[in-house]
Amino acid sequence: MAEFVRLDSSTSRHTMDKSITLPPDEIFRNLENAKRFAIDIGGSLTKLAYYSTVQHKVAKVRSFDKATKVNIPLYEISVQEEVTARLHFIKFENAYIETCLDFIKDHLVNTETKVIKATGGGAHKFKELIERKLGLKVDKEDEMTCLIKGCNFVLRNIPHEAFVYAKHADSEFRFQTTQPDIFPYLLVNIGSGVSIVKVESEDKFERIGGSSIGGGTFWGLGALLTKTKRFDELLQLASKGQHTSVDMLVKDIYGGSYGSLGLTGDLIASSFGKSATADKEFSKEDMAKSLLHMISNDIGQLACLYAKLHNLSRVYFGGFFIRGHPVTMHTITYSINFFTKGEVQALFLRHEGYLGAIGAFLKGAEEDNPNQYSWGENYAGSSGLMSVSPDMNPMQRARSGTFDMLEMDRLERQLVNLPLLQDPSSYIPDTMDLTEDALAREYWLYCFEEALDGVVKRAVASQPDMPEAAERAEKFRQKYRHKLQTLRHQPFAYGSLTVRSLLDTREHCLNEFNFPDPYSKIKQNENDIALKYYQKAVKSLEELSWEERQFALVRGVLAGNVFDWGAKAVSEMTLGPQIWHLGLIYLFIFFSSERPWLVDSYDQWLERLRGPPHKCALFFVDNSGVDIILGVIPFVRELLSRGTEVVLASNSGPALNDVTNGELQILTERIAAMDPVIQAGLREDRLTLVQSGSSSPCLDLSRLDKVLAQVVRERQTDLVIIEGMGRAIHTNYYAMLSCESLKMAVIKNSWLADRLGGKLFSVVFKYEVPAGKPSQGSAAVTPS
Amino acid sequence: MAFNGHQREDEGIDEDETPTKQPRSEKEMPGCFKTEPHNEASASAGRSTSERRTSNSTMRHRADSVKKTRPPFPWFGMDIGGTLVKLVYFEPKDITAEEEQEEVENLKSIRRYLTSNTAYGKTGIRDVHLELQDLTLCGRTGNLHFIRFPTHDLPAFLQMGRNKHFSSLHTTLCATGGGAYKFESDFRTMADLQLHKLDELDCLIRGVLYIDSVMSSGPSECYYFENPTDPDHCVQKPYTLENPYPLLLVNIGSGVSILAVYSESNYKRVTGTSLGGGTFLGLCCLLTGCSTFEEALEMASQGESTRVDKLVRDIYGGDYERFGLPGWAVASSFGNMMSKEKRESVSKEDLARATLVTITNNIGSITRMCALNENIERVVFVGNFLRVNTLSMKLLAYAMDYWSKGQLKALFLRHEGYFGAVGALLELLHPS
């Protein structure tokens, strides 16, 4: 009784406007390296997908030969070209198809592909044009299959893909955390008709029902009733109307509510019930509103009936009826709420419009096994969710004629959950959701904008031999500033806005302009200096009594954590002599930061240390230099001496001055050469280095390197240590683990310190034992 | 009506329920009404109701008390809906000479007015074909009349009641439907009448079960369509509602209510939809300029919905085999109307037909889902949307059969819209 094919009726209106010039830097990026294409042509929009290989610069470190001379750096830094894979998705109005095809033809050089996968209702219509322009054979794929494939892909790979829409809430979008298992779910696709599909696994889905009352009914019937032709205009009419003048409400029949059934007077008893008369005129707005309610309620009701019958609680809505329209998201949400009494939430998708194109692409790319990899949204190249304003959305209308983009990078490693999460389905990495907290949002956006000059300067300084670095850095500045501006107006553009997403966006933008590791030299320098003090530090620790040593080790980690170039208070210090200033703060924290700290469960930790050693500790490390070498390694050394195995998890790629896995390999080797304890640990495989899979200053425990997860499981890890502001405060502060955990950080941001009720350089030392686990100490204290 | 899932069992009476709320105990219910089995149809009906009559013997020795509690004439039951007022009137045919003498003039005049006319004013109509003759109610024999008029003409009705001094008869007027609440004060102020308000779903179910159980001459109350998927051989056939439970009762008035009925006293409202008869007529009026249900239906019968709707074959050129969708299925109701050219080429009749098909199919879908969720195979459709609307009934019969692969049976009742009013009348005769 229904289908999901989009419309092809509106396309005829458009004329092929060839006068448009495309900004090649912005859209169709990297086309010369495009390998494979797919296209989804809907009623008014075309979505083009292609896969490209991206050459970009990566920073590598390499140890010098053993026979080192004096006065040369610890290791060699080089910038290399690396080829990675990227998925590009571009959405534009059908009017631009010809222009775009011409553009593609002119820029396509490297492709060996002979076929373009196509889906969508308009695919047949443009088949001939595509084949003629591109010289590729159009290969049609089943629309529903593409849709489901695309849906699975975004749900799995894009955190915060799904959201709940709440019109009257502080933030209209409430993003959902990625579920470890996305199946089963119900997809309700509202095209001209409605298809209701039950998806049980990657390859198993079934159309369990549908309805003929869908977007086409709204459009068709709406056009007849209001003489308004465009779908958008109809929605706009509806958003201004009053349905109560057209609909017969319960109170129109009862005079009030129908109490014994609990039906309130405002409920609609009969849609259009009041228009059953020949002698009254009704306004276009009111009729459109009534129609919208009628259709949304009907679809919502059917969706609920199907969800109930198949016992499904996750229901996603998509299709052109929904596509970013706040009006329809609101009415559908309302309907679902009503019919399930709040038991089922209507879920929407950020990249809903791309599902078909993504799916068609994946169909064509099966030989490359794209599903074997993890993919990450590239914030630098993606344009984000369209703006929404209470009164329809002028932004969206203004955007017609522009191009919307989504880019996804293939990640080197497959990412999975940390097996030690207490409840993966409820885990939220970020401590603060800036989408919901306007004050915090304002502060952090300001903070990142303020820091931009410094970042640009640092980026230029990191490439002294490259004359065009300044120019690139300027481009970076513009791009990131633009992103910040977008986020100021549309905080939800990339899912929940968090400090992490702001940091990650900055890293993506830096990478975009070939600043792969602006801190490489600083890190190298810091590591070099710190290494020189390693033996002295270890020796002085060994001279302390056991109890004094435990405290000194903790202080060492905390003090070392001050060396964080990402932190506002630190990054404001210029390079050079002021590093000594940092040194002073280091000393201050080391020697005089008085307990109790802001969060202080040190006593419980000490108590625990008096007990039996842990089996294995997983340590997420933070900064280079003093932090890792004089803080973390001595702490690790003590754990090893106690008989605890240690897994050191560091970033796969660079972010600020965080130590990367590559750097840490070299550092531990060097330290092992000086320190028999570390050497023995490495040799006996009791000290293991793994990469986290991340290139972020923050930490998402639900997206970690598969190997790490495996090691954690094999070693029966019973202690997780998370260090630093990014990993233990901005993220994971509230993360619940199924084993003991220790979160250590120094708060190097006065605003945040203030928020947490402390001062700048306050210390957080949070030791937690999961409830129900026998423990030697009691659980952590939280800030008062 | 457009609300869902309100569950209700008779025991769980809400506090705001009318105080005269009926306890539908199986023992008491049938005792009051006797029917005279003297034709074939009633014989089959008799079988069907045998279960409900097991307690007849216990009832007989209550006959005397029945006489005493029997309310004075006239006997009315009223159902005031969003669009129509439905009125049932019992005309006693066994009036003795003694009674005749005692009978006040007002009462006679009302009886004469109602039974000698088939139309009242401009809009009131007596459905003569539905009249139940030789019916025994509370020991009295007579005819049951079925009358309807638009709710917006209620003031005229009240004026008539006032003119005929209805209030002097000291009768209780049992009324159900939303209007019983909405117009209660109008009844009081305009006609000096005190309404006895009753829950509409209670009345509906009571009415359905009663009418189905009475023996009457004339065609069988319940019927179905044989071969619903084959237009050439689709014929109306009588049906015996033997062991009626559980059944899904779909009442299509201005809006739609769907009830799951497990026994006389145990039912729940499963859901409802606001896309009902009112929507059909409301949209038809807007789209075609018509003003009555009859007009709208007449137009619908002459139109072609496939010019308005987008079918599966319009998109796929045939069946969409991947999902088992036949080419003739509607993919998008009014889907063709997205195109300007097609909007200009359709007739009013086509639009009326498409509206009818859209609303009917949608009710069919929701009903089918409810039947699956409640695990009920028998569906009884009632309500005035189905009046003289064979088109919709056949569509519903088809939809139930086709999409359930023969699992679901659509049943219809001759007195489609009057069950609420009958239920109200029963409450008058047998108050709790």
Side-chain angles (χ1 to χ4, degrees):
Chain A
M1 283 220 274
E3 48 74 77
F4 40 82
V5 171
R6 290 172 210 124
L7 315 149
D8 53 4
S9 53
S10 68
T11 46
S12 52
R13 263 185 320 103
H14 296 297
T15 49
M16 298 295 179
D17 187 351
K18 283 194 145 192
S19 64
I20 302 155
T21 45
L22 302 172
D25 285 351
E26 289 296 319
I27 55 165
F28 297 121
R29 297 182 343 139
N30 221 22
L31 199 56
E32 54 282 6
N33 295 313
K35 297 284 182 251
R36 183 176 280 121
F37 289 89
I39 196 162
D40 173 11
I41 307 177
S44 51
L45 294 173
T46 297
K47 281 78 65 174
L48 183 81
Y50 60 93
Y51 166 93
S52 75
T53 47
V54 186
Q55 285 218 332
H56 69 133
K57 298 204 162 47
V58 286
K60 293 270 175 189
V61 289
R62 199 166 62 103
S63 197
F64 286 111
D65 292 337
K66 278 270 158 87
T68 50
K69 292 172 227 154
V70 256
N71 289 336
I72 66 151
L74 188 57
Y75 50 81
E76 185 184 18
I77 304 168
S78 63
V79 171
Q80 294 173 11
E81 292 278 331
E82 202 178 65
V83 176
T84 58
R86 183 174 286 176
L87 286 175
H88 305 254
F89 302 98
I90 300 152
K91 186 159 67 182
F92 50 85
E93 290 202 7
N94 287 354
Y96 302 119
I97 282 189
E98 198 159 357
T99 317
C100 290
L101 292 176
D102 282 337
F103 185 88
I104 293 167
K105 186 182 65 185
D106 293 346
H107 290 77
L108 208 53
V109 273
N110 276 333
T111 187
E112 291 157 18
T113 186
K114 300 273 185 290
V115 175
I116 179 166
K117 290 283 180 189
T119 187
H124 66 278
K125 186 169 176 165
F126 292 96
K127 182 173 186 279
E128 195 266 338
L129 183 74
I130 297 167
E131 293 191 334
R132 181 161 45 86
K133 291 274 180 190
L134 297 184
L136 298 176
K137 190 180 161 294
V138 169
D139 196 359
K140 267 211 84 173
E141 284 292 337
D142 175 72
E143 183 156 9
M144 189 54 80
T145 310
C146 292
L147 208 60
I148 302 295
K149 268 195 172 303
C151 193
N152 293 339
F153 185 79
V154 294
L155 284 175
R156 225 189 355 253
N157 287 291
I158 306 187
H160 293 171
E161 175 61 30
F163 62 88
V164 168
Y165 184 76
K167 188 182 174 187
H168 300 293
D170 284 345
S171 67
E172 297 159 285
F173 299 84
R174 282 213 313 281
F175 294 94
Q176 308 291 297
T177 49
T178 313
Q179 295 291 312
D181 189 4
I182 60 172
F183 305 109
Y185 66 86
L186 203 61
L187 179 67
V188 181
N189 194 55
I190 314 174
S192 49
V194 181
S195 276
I196 300 176
V197 186
K198 175 184 175 182
V199 187
E200 285 176 286
S201 71
E202 192 55 53
D203 302 308
K204 193 175 173 208
F205 70 88
E206 186 192 354
R207 184 187 187 278
I208 54 173
S211 167
S212 67
I213 300 186
T217 314
F218 179 71
W219 194 343
L221 196 46
L224 288 168
L225 291 172
T226 67
K227 315 275 181 267
T228 303
K229 289 173 208 148
R230 286 181 53 109
F231 181 72
D232 280 6
E233 285 167 26
L234 274 169
L235 279 182
Q236 213 161 4
L237 281 180
S239 64
K240 288 187 238 153
Q242 282 293 331
H243 76 102
T244 51
S245 61
V246 183
D247 289 342
M248 186 182 281
L249 309 184
V250 167
K251 66 179 172 206
D252 293 322
I253 299 175
Y254 271 81
S257 65
Y258 183 178
S260 62
L261 281 186
L263 306 173
T264 65
D266 287 328
L267 287 174
I268 305 169
S270 175
S271 294
F272 288 90
K274 280 187 195 154
S275 67
T277 163
D279 23 83
K280 224 184 130 194
E281 289 283 311
F282 296 90
S283 82
K284 289 178 178 185
E285 288 81 2
D286 293 353
M287 288 189 289
K289 179 65 164 253
S290 177
L291 186 62
L292 177 68
H293 275 308
M294 177 180 108
I295 288 166
S296 300
N297 283 339
D298 192 55
I299 295 170
Q301 178 172 26
L302 275 169
C304 292
L305 286 166
Y306 278 102
K308 187 180 169 200
L309 188 65
H310 292 266
N311 201 17
L312 297 167
S313 58
R314 264 173 287 179
V315 185
Y316 299 99
F317 287 85
F320 84 78
F321 185 69
I322 296 292
R323 201 147 302 158
H325 301 298
V327 198
T328 55
M329 287 195 286
H330 174 63
T331 51
I332 288 282
T333 299
Y334 180 88
S335 169
I336 293 289
N337 249 326
F338 178 80
F339 284 109
T340 67
K341 300 189 181 75
E343 277 171 29
V344 174
Q345 285 188 314
L347 295 166
F348 304 97
L349 300 169
R350 272 205 293 143
H351 298 102
E352 190 277 321
Y354 288 111
L355 301 186
I358 294 173
F361 174 81
L362 292 173
K363 275 298 264 187
E366 264 160 3
E367 65 204 63
D368 287 345
N369 288 317
N371 273 330
Q372 274 185 3
Y373 297 93
S374 288
W375 298 77
E377 180 177 7
N378 187 314
Y379 294 136
S382 303
S383 35
L385 197 65
M386 286 183 176
S387 167
V388 166
S389 81
D391 183 39
M392 254 308 278
N393 39 6
M395 281 293 279
Q396 187 173 350
R397 310 234 31 223
R399 279 181 90 123
S400 63
T402 65
F403 291 72
D404 194 80
M405 280 168 291
L406 165 66
E407 288 185 6
M408 298 190 66
D409 288 321
R410 193 174 80 190
L411 307 177
E412 303 258 305
R413 336 270 304 178
Q414 212 175 336
L415 304 183
V416 296
N417 267 311
L418 179 68
L420 296 169
L421 281 176
Q422 216 172 65
D423 176 16
S425 60
S426 68
Y427 169 72
I428 299 169
D430 306 286
T431 307
M432 223 186 289
D433 185 343
L434 304 181
T435 350
E436 287 176 5
D437 188 335
L439 272 178
R441 178 168 72 236
E442 209 168 297
Y443 170 75
W444 285 108
L445 285 170
Y446 160 81
C447 190
F448 276 88
E449 183 125 29
E450 275 265 299
L452 195 47
D453 276 344
V455 177
V456 168
K457 229 175 266 172
R458 191 99 56 199
V460 177
S462 72
Q463 298 180 351
D465 311 332
M466 300 188 166
E468 36 40 271
E471 196 185 317
R472 271 187 288 120
E474 201 47 47
K475 280 186 183 165
F476 154 76
R477 183 211 300 276
Q478 279 168 22
K479 181 138 200 170
Y480 189 59
R481 179 171 287 158
H482 180 73
K483 292 274 167 195
L484 290 175
Q485 271 157 7
T486 307
L487 288 167
R488 191 160 276 146
H489 296 115
Q490 300 158 245
F492 42 79
Y494 298 92
S496 284
L497 181 66
T498 59
V499 174
R500 176 168 63 109
S501 73
L502 285 167
L503 284 163
D504 290 354
T505 307
R506 191 166 70 187
E507 296 299 326
H508 291 175
C509 290
L510 279 167
N511 275 325
E512 183 72 37
F513 295 100
N514 278 323
F515 294 106
D517 193 359
Y519 289 86
S520 55
K521 295 251 163 51
I522 294 174
K523 289 189 284 182
Q524 185 191 41
N525 192 28
E526 283 178 321
N527 289 333
D528 217 8
I529 295 168
L531 263 186
K532 294 194 169 85
Y533 291 92
Y534 178 77
Q535 275 171 309
K536 203 183 272 177
V538 166
K539 190 161 174 287
S540 64
L541 281 164
E542 277 182 337
E543 283 163 2
L544 298 172
S545 71
W546 181 85
E547 197 169 322
E548 283 172 332
R549 187 166 68 247
Q550 302 315 311
F551 191 49
L553 284 168
V554 166
R555 280 183 309 172
V557 171
L558 291 166
N561 196 241
V562 168
F563 291 86
D564 176 356
W565 295 105
K568 183 169 157 61
V570 178
S571 67
E572 277 166 1
M573 298 166 190
T574 48
L575 286 175
Q578 284 209 20
I579 194 143
W580 295 111
H581 185 107
L582 261 190
L584 288 176
I585 299 167
Y586 174 84
L587 294 172
F588 167 78
I589 289 183
F590 193 91
F591 290 111
S592 67
S593 104
E594 274 175 32
R595 291 190 56 211
W597 293 315
L598 181 58
V599 177
D600 191 338
S601 34
Y602 177 74
D603 292 343
Q604 288 90 329
W605 170 245
L606 188 69
E607 200 50 40
R608 173 64 186 86
L609 289 182
R610 291 187 208 281
H614 293 93
K615 170 80 181 60
C616 173
L618 169 67
F619 200 135
F620 288 99
V621 302
D622 189 8
N623 304 308
S624 305
V626 177
D627 189 344
I628 182 76
I629 295 166
L630 302 180
V632 174
I633 299 288
F635 192 96
V636 166
R637 191 177 185 275
E638 182 77 12
L639 286 172
L640 288 168
S641 310
R642 278 170 57 80
T644 301
E645 293 175 27
V646 179
V647 178
L648 280 179
S650 52
N651 269 5
S652 301
L656 296 168
N657 68 325
D658 292 3
V659 65
T660 63
N661 186 253
E663 290 156 355
L664 192 55
Q665 300 270 7
I666 296 170
L667 294 181
T668 34
E669 244 170 64
R670 287 307 175 90
I671 291 167
M674 302 185 270
D675 184 344
V677 177
I678 299 295
Q679 190 171 48
L682 287 172
R683 192 181 56 235
E684 292 156 18
D685 201 24
R686 292 192 298 114
L687 174 60
T688 318
L689 272 56
V690 294
Q691 44 184 308
S692 64
S694 156
S695 304
S696 165
C698 295
L699 180 64
D700 179 352
L701 294 176
S702 66
R703 278 168 78 82
L704 291 174
D705 194 311
K706 204 175 181 179
V707 175
L708 183 151
Q710 203 180 323
V711 170
V712 160
R713 224 178 270 121
E714 280 167 7
R715 311 235 158 165
Q716 295 160 28
T717 305
D718 53 355
L719 172 66
V720 174
I721 304 171
I722 308 176
E723 184 215 2
M725 208 160 76
R727 290 173 184 79
I729 306 283
H730 290 317
T731 54
N732 301 308
Y733 189 71
Y734 299 116
M736 304 286 279
L737 297 165
S738 59
C739 66
E740 290 171 51
S741 66
L742 182 56
K743 296 162 190 170
M744 292 185 276
V746 177
I747 302 175
K748 289 148 288 189
N749 173 296
S750 55
W751 183 90
L752 186 64
D754 211 41
R755 263 251 166 150
L756 294 171
K759 294 195 183 82
L760 188 63
F761 299 116
S762 289
V763 166
V764 168
F765 186 92
K766 195 178 184 187
Y767 167 63
E768 287 169 302
V769 179
K773 288 251 167 167
S775 80
Q776 279 74 18
S778 64
V781 184
T782 43
S784 50
Chain B
M1 289 187 208
F3 355 98
N4 182 35
H6 181 83
Q7 300 216 353
R8 163 161 180 174
E9 299 196 351
D10 204 40
E11 286 70 30
I13 298 163
D14 300 339
E15 284 185 359
D16 57 349
E17 198 63 37
T18 49
T20 47
K21 178 81 173 58
Q22 174 94 353
R24 277 160 304 204
S25 97
E26 295 194 16
K27 284 187 183 114
E28 285 181 301
M29 213 351 230
C32 192
F33 319 110
K34 276 223 182 119
T35 54
E36 288 156 28
H38 53 63
N39 63 22
E40 278 180 27
S42 59
S44 62
R47 276 200 307 278
S48 75
T49 53
S50 59
E51 221 181 312
R52 271 171 274 165
R53 292 179 175 207
T54 47
S55 56
N56 265 3
S57 59
T58 55
M59 296 313 299
R60 252 171 227 135
H61 55 76
R62 286 199 193 172
D64 288 342
S65 66
V66 162
K67 229 171 227 166
K68 275 175 209 146
T69 57
R70 196 156 60 198
F73 288 123
W75 292 353
F76 280 113
M78 200 173 197
D79 176 3
I80 311 171
T83 311
L84 286 176
V85 178
K86 282 76 67 176
L87 189 70
V88 293
Y89 168 66
F90 181 78
E91 173 204 1
K93 294 296 251 184
D94 54 357
I95 296 175
T96 58
E98 189 189 352
E99 270 182 312
E100 181 108 36
Q101 273 192 336
E102 281 176 20
E103 199 175 25
V104 294
E105 199 44 47
N106 279 345
L107 192 56
K108 271 196 195 96
S109 121
I110 288 170
R111 181 156 41 103
R112 242 179 266 125
Y113 175 68
L114 289 176
T115 55
S116 59
N117 293 307
T118 57
Y120 315 95
K122 276 186 191 149
T123 52
I125 285 167
R126 181 155 63 88
D127 284 313
V128 184
H129 67 287
L130 293 179
E131 183 178 330
L132 291 177
Q133 293 179 348
D134 298 328
L135 195 69
T136 302
L137 264 178
C138 275
R140 301 302 299 256
T141 306
N143 299 341
L144 196 57
H145 298 279
F146 297 87
I147 298 160
R148 62 184 150 89
F149 59 87
T151 304
H152 60 74
D153 286 335
L154 193 67
F157 175 80
L158 292 178
Q159 193 56 47
M160 185 194 78
R162 188 193 181 98
N163 297 343
K164 292 193 182 293
H165 300 288
F166 206 90
S167 61
S168 66
L169 297 171
H170 303 293
T171 184
T172 313
L173 194 48
C174 282
T176 185
Y181 296 81
K182 186 180 178 185
F183 301 110
E184 188 186 13
S185 65
D186 293 342
F187 272 85
R188 210 173 37 240
T189 55
M190 290 176 69
D192 194 24
L193 282 169
Q194 193 65 44
L195 282 189
H196 183 89
K197 305 191 295 293
L198 299 162
D199 180 80
E200 65 174 288
L201 300 183
D202 289 348
C203 288
L204 173 69
I205 289 182
R206 201 170 172 190
V208 166
L209 295 174
Y210 171 67
I211 293 289
D212 176 57
S213 72
V214 299
M215 304 297 138
S216 158
S217 51
S220 161
E221 178 64 22
C222 185
Y223 60 95
Y224 71 104
F225 289 91
E226 201 177 57
N227 307 316
T229 51
D230 179 357
D232 297 333
H233 299 96
C234 178
V235 281
Q236 192 171 325
K237 287 272 166 121
Y239 187 83
T240 314
L241 254 188
E242 228 170 333
N243 295 326
Y245 310 114
L247 70 83
L248 206 63
L249 184 60
V250 182
N251 186 30
I252 316 174
S254 313
V256 181
S257 271
I258 300 178
L259 316 176
V261 187
Y262 299 100
S263 76
E264 277 178 22
S265 57
N266 181 6
Y267 76 87
K268 65 175 181 185
R269 183 175 188 278
V270 180
T271 190
T273 166
S274 69
L275 285 81
T279 315
F280 164 63
L281 185 54
L283 282 174
C284 274
C285 291
L286 292 174
L287 292 171
T288 70
C290 73
S291 59
T292 68
F293 183 66
E294 289 74 9
E295 253 181 285
L297 272 187
E298 176 56 29
M299 272 199 271
S301 69
Q302 289 163 19
E304 188 57 73
S305 64
T306 53
R307 282 198 278 265
V308 179
D309 294 339
K310 192 170 266 192
L311 307 187
V312 168
R313 65 162 178 259
D314 295 335
I315 299 159
Y316 295 98
D319 298 348
Y320 188 14
E321 280 162 25
R322 173 86 172 74
F323 295 118
L325 288 175
W328 52 259
V330 183
S332 174
S333 297
F334 286 85
N336 280 340
M337 298 298 92
M338 289 183 282
S339 131
K340 188 167 180 283
E341 298 78 52
K342 287 184 176 157
R343 276 202 295 278
E344 282 160 2
S345 71
V346 292
S347 68
K348 287 181 173 183
E349 287 76 13
D350 295 339
L351 293 173
R353 177 65 163 248
T355 310
L356 188 79
V357 170
T358 302
I359 300 296
T360 307
N361 274 338
N362 191 58
I363 294 169
S365 296
I366 292 173
T367 300
R368 200 171 55 85
M369 288 311 294
C370 290
L372 283 171
N373 271 324
E374 300 299 321
N375 205 15
I376 296 177
E377 289 180 353
R378 213 159 9 183
V379 183
V380 178
F381 292 94
V382 296
N384 267 325
F385 173 65
L386 300 176
R387 194 172 61 78
V388 295
N389 188 358
T390 317
L391 221 51
S392 285
M393 287 193 279
K394 284 190 174 172
L395 262 174
L396 285 170
Y398 187 113
M400 289 300 112
D401 188 87
Y402 183 86
W403 296 106
S404 75
K405 300 190 172 70
Q407 286 297 297
L408 287 174
K409 198 164 196 78
L411 302 172
F412 303 92
L413 298 177
R414 280 182 62 235
H415 290 84
E416 54 244 336
Y418 282 107
F419 299 107
V422 171
L425 172 67
L426 298 180
E427 175 64 25
L428 168 75
L429 302 179
H430 192 269
S432 43

